[in-house]
C-alpha cells in the first residue's frame, strides 16, 4: 500500500519552506491551543468520575445549563427571524443609510463585550431609555432571563445576517423569473424557490449565533444580576467556582460546555459543507 | 452587479411589503445596535465634557490603557507570524490531514472566552501543572500581565490565518513558481510576489485581530486577578468603574473602545470594498 | 541544450500520471507534446521544469546535458517557463514583470539598472509591445499578456523554453497569428523549446517533432508528416483528425481500415468496384473544402468525406444521391490491426 507510507511523509514540492512553516504552525498551535485544552481534559480525568458526575449534575449547575440553553435558543431564533429580513433588505433594496447599517451589523463583533454589557444594562434599567417605559407596564428586563436574552441577541446578531447575505447575493434572478413565469406569486416564489436555496445558510447562521450565545460572558454578566438558580449562566458559574478555588467543579462544568461547543462546531462544519454544496449546484 | 429594481408584479414584492420589511429591518438594527452605541456616548457626557476628561485623569485608567496597548502589541504580531506560516503551509502544499489542521486552527473561536482563560489557570495557576515550578522560580503568569497576554493570544489566535488561508488557496502557486523559475530565492519570492498579493487580506486580519485583542473581556477576566493599575486592561477597568457606580468614568473609557470599534468597522468596510474591486479586476483578466 | 527523459514513471496517489516515458529532445528543435487533457503531457513538462518533483516511489530520471537534475533547485535549471494562464505578477507593470528575473539575481551577477532597462526595452520591441512598459497585466489583452509572459521568460536567457498550452486561452484569430510569430521567433533565437498542446492543428503547424501522449504513455514520436500520414496506431490516427472506420470480412478474419475524409473518393453509383455504397445526408459548403456526411447503406454508419470545391462541382452531388465510396490510398498498421 503506497498510500499508507505517504501519510506521515513531508510532501515534495518545488515551493520551499514546508518544513519551516509547518513546523512553526504545529509548534505554536500546540503551545497556545492544544496543550492548554489538553490540560483541561486531563484535569477532568483526575477529578474522578464520581466527583465529576456530582459536580455536573448539581442542581445549581443543571439550572445554569437550562437557563443558558433556553436563553441562547430564543436569542438565536430571534436573530434568525430578523437576520433574514435584514439580509434581504441589504441585498435587495436601496434605502437611505443602507451602507451605514450594513457596516454597523458587525458592531457586536468589534465592540468589546463589557462595553455592550454596560450599555445594554443602562438602557434597560428602570431609569434607562427603554426600561423607563417597559417597567411601568410590568416588563422587568434587567436581572431577568429577558435581559440575558437581549444581550445574547446583541452579540449573535451579525451571524445570521453575514451567512445569509452571500447566499442571497448568489441567488440567480433567473430562478425567480422562471418561478413567476410559471405562475407562482411572490410569496410562493419566496417560500418554494428562494427559501429552500438559502435554508442551509439560514440554519448555519442560527447554529453560529446559538454557539456564540452558549459561551458568552461579558455582555451578559452586567444585565443578568447573577442570582443562583435564577439568572446565573454556565460561564458565570465557572468563574464563581474559580473564585471559590473549586477547580474540580469549574473543570467539570467547563468540560461539559467544551463538549457542547465541539459538537456545535461539528454541526456547523457539516451545515457549511451542505450550504456550499447547495450553492455550488446552482452554478451548474 | 444585478439590481433588483424591477417592480412588475410577481417578480417583486408589493410596495407595502417592501417598505414593511425595510421598516422592520431598520427598527431592529436601530433598537439593537444604534441606540446602545449612542447610549455609550450619551452616558459618558452625561455630566459634561469636563467630567468626561476628568475620567482619564486617573492613574489606573491610564495604566489600563497602557496594558491594553502592550498586550495587543505582543499578541497581534505573534498571531500575524503564525497566520502567515500556517496559511503558507496549508495553501502551498497538499498533505494528509489538512482539513483537520484547519479545524484545529479555528478551535479557539468555538471555545467560550471564559474557558480560554481557565485553561491557562489550570496550566500556570498555583495549583496548575507548572504552578509549583513557577512559584519556586518566582515567576508569575496567572494574575499577572503574562497571563493576560496568553489569554489574548488564545482568543485572537485564528484571525489572521483564517483570512489568509482561503485567499492564498485561491491564488494558487503559479506566480510563486514563475518567480522561483526566474531565479528568485524563497525569501525573495515571498516578499516580492506573495506579500503584495495578500497584503489587503493580511491587513484585514490584523485589524480584526487587534480589535478583539484590545476588547477581550471574558478570557482576560479569568486570568487577570483585577489588580487596579497592574493587571487591568481597559475592558476590565470598565467593569471595575461600573461596579463602583462610577458610571461616567466607565462610559468614558468605553467611548475609547467604541471609537476603536467604529474605526475597525470603517477600515473593515473599506478593505472589503477594495477586495471586491480587486476581485472584479481579476475576473476581467480571465 | 540536450534534454533526456529516461524511464520516467510518476504517480499521484494511486494514479499513474506518467508511465515509463523515454524522450530525447534535440538541441534547437521545437517539440510539441500532444495529447488529450489528462494524458500527462503537462505533468511531463512540469517535471522537466522541476515544478513537479520526483517522489520516493516515482521512477526514472531527467538529464540536462547528461547531468541528472533531480536535486537542482528550479531557479538554477536555466529554464524559461510560460504558464497556461501566464502567471504574470499582478501587482507589477509589464516592465517590472520582464525585469523581475534580472532584478532578483544575487548582487554580484545582477546587471546595472541601465543594463536591465536596455534589455527590457529590447525584449519589448521583440514582442511588439514597446510603449506598454508601464501598463499592468489587467490592462492588456490575452495575446499581449501571452507575449509579456514569453518576454519575462526570455529575459534571463534560458537554455530551454517550456510552454504550457501557450495559446489555450486565446481567440482563434489571435492564436493563429501568435503561433506563426512564435515559430519565427523560435527559429530566430534557436532556443530548444517544448510546447504542450491538446490542439493537433497547432502541433502540426509549429512543431519540428511531435510526441503524441495518451494515458501517461508515449504513443508515437515523429515529424508532423510522419504522425499525420504514418500514424503508428489507432489512437494516433483518431487523435490527429477525423477518420472513417471500415471493416472487411474474410471467411476467417476481419480487417479494419482507418481512412481520413480527404482520402476517400466519391464515385457515381454506376461504377461497381467500391468498398461501400452510401447516401448523401448533408453537405457543408462553407470552408476551404466541401464536407459531406453520408450514411452507409449496408450498416447505417456515418461516413465523412472531404473534397475540393472543384471536384464537388464536377460531380454535381446533391443531398439524397446514392454514391459509391472508394479509398484513394490504403494503409496498414504493423501490429496487424490494418488500416
Amino acid at each position: 500500500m503506497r498510500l499508507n507510507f505517504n501519510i506521515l511523509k513531508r510532501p515534495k514540492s518545488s515551493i520551499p519552506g514546508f518544513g519551516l512553516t509547518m513546523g512553526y504552525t504545529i509548534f505554536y498551535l500546540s503551545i497556545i491551543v492544544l496543550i492548554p485544552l489538553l490540560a483541561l481534559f486531563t484535569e477532568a480525568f483526575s477529578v474522578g468520575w464520581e466527583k465529576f458526575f456530582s459536580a455536573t449534575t448539581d442542581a445549581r449547575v443543571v439550572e445554569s445549563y437550562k437557563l443558558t440553553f433556553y436563553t441562547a435558543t430564543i436569542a438565536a431564533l430571534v436573530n434568525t427571524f430578523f437576520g433574514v429580513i435584514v439580509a434581504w433588505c441589504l441585498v435587495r433594496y436601496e434605502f437611505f443609510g443602507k451602507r451605514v447599517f450594513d457596516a454597523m451589523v458587525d458592531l457586536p463583533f468589534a465592540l468589546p463585550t463589557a462595553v455592550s454589557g454596560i450599555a445594554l444594562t443602562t438602557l434597560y434599567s428602570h431609569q434607562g431609555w427603554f426600561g423607563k417605559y417597559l417597567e411601568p407596564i410590568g416588563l422587568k428586563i434587567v436581572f431577568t432571563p429577558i435581559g440575558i436574552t437581549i444581550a445574547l441577541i446583541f452579540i449573535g446578531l451579525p451571524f445570521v445576517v453575514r451567512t445569509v447575505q452571500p447566499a442571497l447575493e448568489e441567488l440567480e434572478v433567473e430562478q425567480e423569473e422562471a418561478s413567476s413565469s410559471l405562475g407562482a406569486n411572490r410569496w410562493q416564489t419566496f417560500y418554494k424557490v428562494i427559501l429552500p436555496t438559502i435554508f442551509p445558510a439560514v440554519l448555519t447562521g442560527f447554529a453560529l449565533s446559538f454557539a456564540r450565545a452558549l459561551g458568552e460572558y461579558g455582555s451578559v454578566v452586567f444585565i443578568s444580576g447573577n442570582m443562583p438558580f435564577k439568572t446565573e449562566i454556565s460561564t458565570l458559574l465557572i468563574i464563581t467556582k474559580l473564585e471559590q478555588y473549586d477547580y474540580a467543579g469549574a473543570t467539570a462544568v467547563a468540560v461539559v460546555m467544551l463538549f457542547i461547543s465541539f459538537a456545535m462546531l461539528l454541526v456547523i462544519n457539516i451545515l457549511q459543507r451542505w450550504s456550499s454544496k447547495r450553492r455550488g449546484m446552482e452554478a451548474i | 452587479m444585478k439590481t433588483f429594481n424591477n417592480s412588475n408584479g410577481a417578480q417583486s414584492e408589493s410596495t407595502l411589503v417592501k417598505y414593511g420589511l425595510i421598516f422592520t429591518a431598520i427598527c431592529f438594527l436601530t433598537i439593537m445596535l444604534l441606540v446602545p452605541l449612542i447610549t455609550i456616548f450619551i452616558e459618558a457626557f452625561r455630566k459634561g465634557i469636563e467630567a468626561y476628561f476628568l475620567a482619564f485623569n486617573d492613574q489606573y485608567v491610564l495604566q489600563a490603557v497602557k496594558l491594553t496597548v502592550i498586550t495587543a502589541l505582543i499578541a497581534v504580531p505573534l498571531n500575524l507570524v503564525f497566520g502567515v506560516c500556517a496559511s503558507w503551509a496549508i495553501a502551498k502544499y497538499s498533505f494528509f490531514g489538512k482539513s483537520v489542521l484547519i479545524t484545529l486552527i479555528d478551535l479557539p473561536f468555538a471555545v467560550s472566552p471564559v474557558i480560554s482563560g481557565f485553561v491557562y489557570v489550570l496550566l500556570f495557576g498555583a495549583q496548575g501543572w507548572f504552578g509549583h515550578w513557577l512559584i519556586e522560580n518566582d515567576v508569575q503568569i496567572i494574575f499577572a500581565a503574562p497571563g493576560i497576554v496568553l489569554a489574548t493570544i488564545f482568543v485572537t489566535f485564528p484571525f489572521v490565518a483564517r483570512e489568509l488561508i482561503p485567499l492564498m488557496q485561491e491564488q494558487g502557486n503559479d506566480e510563486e513558481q514563475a518567480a522561483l523559475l526566474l531565479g528568485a530565492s524563497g525569501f525573495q519570492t515571498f516578499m516580492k510576489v506573495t506579500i503584495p498579493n495578500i497584503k489587503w487580506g493580511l491587513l484585514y486580519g490584523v485589524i480584526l485581530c487587534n480589535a478583539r485583542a484590545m476588547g477581550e473581556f471574558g478570557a482576560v477576566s479569568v486570568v487577570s486577578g483585577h489588580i487596579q493599575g497592574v493587571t487591568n486592561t481597559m475592558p476590565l477597568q470598565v467593569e471595575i468603574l461600573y461596579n463602583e457606580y462610577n458610571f461616567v468614568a466607565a462610559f468614558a473609557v468605553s467611548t475609547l473602545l467604541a471609537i476603536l470599534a467604529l474605526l475597525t468597522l470603517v477600515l473593515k468596510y473599506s478593505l472589503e470594498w477594495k477586495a471586491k474591486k480587486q476581485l472584479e479586476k481579476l475576473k476581467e483578466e480571465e | 541544450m540536450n534534454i533526456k527523459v529516461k524511464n520516467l514513471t510518476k504517480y499521484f496517489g494511486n494514479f499513474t500520471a506518467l508511465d515509463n516515458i523515454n524522450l530525447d529532445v534535440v538541441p534547437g528543435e521545437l517539440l510539441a507534446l500532444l495529447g488529450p487533457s489528462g494524458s500527462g503531457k503537462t505533468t511531463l513538462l512540469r517535471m522537466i521544469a522541476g515544478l513537479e518533483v520526483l517522489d520516493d516511489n516515482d521512477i526514472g530520471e531527467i538529464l540536462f546535458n547528461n547531468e541528472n537534475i533531480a536535486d537542482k533547485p528550479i531557479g538554477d535549471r536555466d529554464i524559461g517557463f510560460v504558464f497556461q494562464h501566464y502567471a504574470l505578477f499582478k501587482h507589477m507593470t509589464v516592465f517590472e514583470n520582464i525585469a523581475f528575473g534580472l532584478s532578483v539575481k544575487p548582487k554580484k551577477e545582477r546587471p546595472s539598472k541601465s543594463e536591465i532597462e536596455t534589455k527590457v526595452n529590447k525584449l519589448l520591441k521583440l514582442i511588439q509591445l514597446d510603449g506598454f512598459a508601464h501598463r499592468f497585466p489587467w490592462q492588456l489583452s490575452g495575446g499581449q499578456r501571452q507575449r509579456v509572459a514569453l518576454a519575462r521568460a526570455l529575459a534571463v536567457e534560458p537554455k530551454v523554453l517550456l510552454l504550457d498550452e501557450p495559446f489555450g486561452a486565446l481567440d482563434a484569430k489571435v492564436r493563429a497569428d501568435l503561433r506563426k510569430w512564435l515559430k519565427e521567433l523560435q527559429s530566430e533565437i534557436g532556443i530548444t523549446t517544448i510546447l504542450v498542446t491538446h490542439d493537433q492543428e497547432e502541433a502540426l503547424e509549429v512543431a519540428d517533432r511531435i510526441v503524441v501522449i495518451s494515458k501517461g504513455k508515449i504513443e508515437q514520436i515523429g515529424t508532423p508528416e510522419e504522425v499525420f500520414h504514418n500514424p503508428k496506431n489507432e489512437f494516433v490516427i483518431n487523435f490527429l483528425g477525423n477518420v472513417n472506420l471500415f471493416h472487411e470480412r474474410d471467411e476467417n478474419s476481419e480487417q479494419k481500415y482507418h481512412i481520413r475524409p480527404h482520402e476517400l473518393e466519391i464515385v457515381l453509383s454506376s461504377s461497381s468496384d467500391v468498398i461501400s455504397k452510401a447516401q448523401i445526408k448533408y453537405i457543408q459548403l462553407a470552408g476551404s473544402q466541401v464536407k459531406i456526411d453520408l450514411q452507409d447503406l449496408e450498416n447505417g454508419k456515418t461516413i465523412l468525406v472531404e473534397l475540393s470545391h472543384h471536384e464537388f462541382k464536377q460531380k454535381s452531388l446533391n443531398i439524397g444521391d446514392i454514391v459509391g465510396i472508394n479509398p484513394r490510398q490504403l494503409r496498414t498498421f504493423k501490429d496487424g490491426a490494418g488500416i
Side-chain angles (χ1 to χ4, degrees), chain B residues 31-70:
Chain B
I31 291 172
M32 284 316 300
L33 300 180
L34 196 57
V35 175
L37 181 66
I38 293 169
T39 304
I40 299 167
F41 291 91
I42 301 271
E43 292 296 325
F45 288 100
R46 182 168 288 273
K47 293 193 178 142
I49 294 180
E50 236 169 277
Y52 175 81
F53 283 107
L54 207 64
F56 298 105
N57 195 9
D58 178 312
Q59 170 201 345
Y60 292 150
V61 169
L62 294 179
Q63 274 161 339
V65 173
K66 195 172 145 198
L67 181 60
T68 302
V69 172
I70 289 172

Side-chain angles (χ1 to χ4, degrees), chain A residues 129-205:
Chain A
W129 287 358
F130 294 151
K132 89 180 142 191
Y133 299 106
L134 294 172
E135 269 190 24
I137 57 166
L139 210 58
K140 193 170 171 354
I141 292 187
V142 171
F143 304 154
T144 70
I146 304 175
I148 299 175
T149 311
I150 287 176
L152 295 181
I153 293 172
F154 178 87
I155 55 107
L157 191 150
F159 289 101
V160 180
V161 180
R162 290 298 184 235
T163 44
V164 174
Q165 221 175 352
L168 278 174
E169 270 165 9
E170 280 172 32
L171 212 65
E172 284 165 20
V173 203
E174 285 85 349
Q175 287 197 0
E176 287 164 56
E177 286 168 351
S179 165
S180 65
S181 76
L182 291 167
N185 66 31
R186 191 60 187 157
W187 172 247
Q188 288 171 320
T189 300
F190 177 77
Y191 194 69
K192 299 196 169 183
V193 177
I194 300 173
L195 194 60
T197 324
I198 63 167
F199 187 67
V202 174
L203 215 56
T204 309

Side-chain angles (χ1 to χ4, degrees), chain A residues 38-265:
Chain A
L38 195 70
L40 181 65
F41 284 106
T42 6
E43 184 75 14
F45 270 112
S46 67
V47 165
W49 174 243
E50 233 164 89
K51 222 173 160 193
F52 183 85
F53 188 76
S54 69
T56 48
T57 53
D58 173 67
R60 184 174 166 188
V61 174
V62 171
E63 214 49 47
S64 84
Y65 289 150
K66 275 193 200 159
L67 179 71
T68 306
F69 263 86
Y70 174 62
T71 50
T73 308
I74 293 178
L77 283 174
V78 171
N79 273 332
T80 307
F81 180 75
F82 286 103
V84 171
I85 293 176
V86 170
W88 180 270
C89 291
L90 290 177
V91 173
R92 291 293 170 104
Y93 305 137
E94 290 302 326
F95 54 91
F96 181 74
K98 177 174 147 172
R99 281 171 149 248
V100 176
F101 279 111
D102 193 4
M104 216 172 61
V105 166
D106 288 323
L107 182 71
F109 284 159
L111 198 64
T113 51
V115 176
S116 0
I118 64 166
L120 289 173
T121 312
T122 306
L123 265 181
Y124 289 96
S125 71
H126 64 104
Q127 293 164 331
W129 287 358
F130 294 151
K132 89 180 142 191
Y133 299 106
L134 294 172
E135 269 190 24
I137 57 166
L139 210 58
K140 193 170 171 354
I141 292 187
V142 171
F143 304 154
T144 70
I146 304 175
I148 299 175
T149 311
I150 287 176
L152 295 181
I153 293 172
F154 178 87
I155 55 107
L157 191 150
F159 289 101
V160 180
V161 180
R162 290 298 184 235
T163 44
V164 174
Q165 221 175 352
L168 278 174
E169 270 165 9
E170 280 172 32
L171 212 65
E172 284 165 20
V173 203
E174 285 85 349
Q175 287 197 0
E176 287 164 56
E177 286 168 351
S179 165
S180 65
S181 76
L182 291 167
N185 66 31
R186 191 60 187 157
W187 172 247
Q188 288 171 320
T189 300
F190 177 77
Y191 194 69
K192 299 196 169 183
V193 177
I194 300 173
L195 194 60
T197 324
I198 63 167
F199 187 67
V202 174
L203 215 56
T204 309
F206 173 85
L208 285 167
S209 169
F210 178 73
R212 172 71 204 262
L214 285 185
E216 181 54 19
Y217 170 72
S219 60
V220 177
V221 67
F222 298 96
I223 206 167
S224 74
N226 312 325
M227 287 168 283
F229 294 99
K230 287 206 179 107
T231 56
E232 190 178 51
I233 55 166
S234 302
T235 42
L236 189 85
L237 193 58
I238 296 177
I239 293 201
T240 312
K241 283 181 185 280
L242 261 180
E243 278 166 0
Q244 295 161 351
Y245 295 101
D246 177 9
Y247 278 39
T251 305
V253 178
V255 164
V256 171
M257 301 258 324
L258 205 57
F259 265 118
I260 296 167
S261 298
F262 288 170
M264 286 307 297
L265 187 67

Side-chain angles (χ1 to χ4, degrees), chain B residues 205-258:
Chain B
V206 165
I207 286 167
L208 296 185
C209 186
N210 179 64
R212 182 73 192 268
M214 289 190 160
E216 178 52 29
F217 176 69
V220 293
S221 170
V222 176
V223 293
S224 126
H226 307 279
I227 308 159
Q228 289 211 50
V230 182
T231 61
N232 263 1
T233 61
M234 283 159 77
L236 295 173
Q237 191 64 30
V238 168
E239 184 193 24
I240 287 183
L241 291 169
Y242 186 83
N243 287 342
E244 287 171 350
Y245 301 102
N246 192 350
F247 295 138
V248 168
F251 279 104
V253 177
S254 293
T255 56
L256 289 190
L257 291 164

Side-chain angles (χ1 to χ4, degrees), chain C residues 74-91:
Chain C
I74 62 175
D76 298 342
R77 293 187 179 196
D78 285 330
I79 277 174
F81 195 98
V82 177
F83 288 77
Q84 187 175 0
H85 299 290
Y86 322 127
L88 292 177
F89 304 128
K90 291 188 269 296
H91 58 286

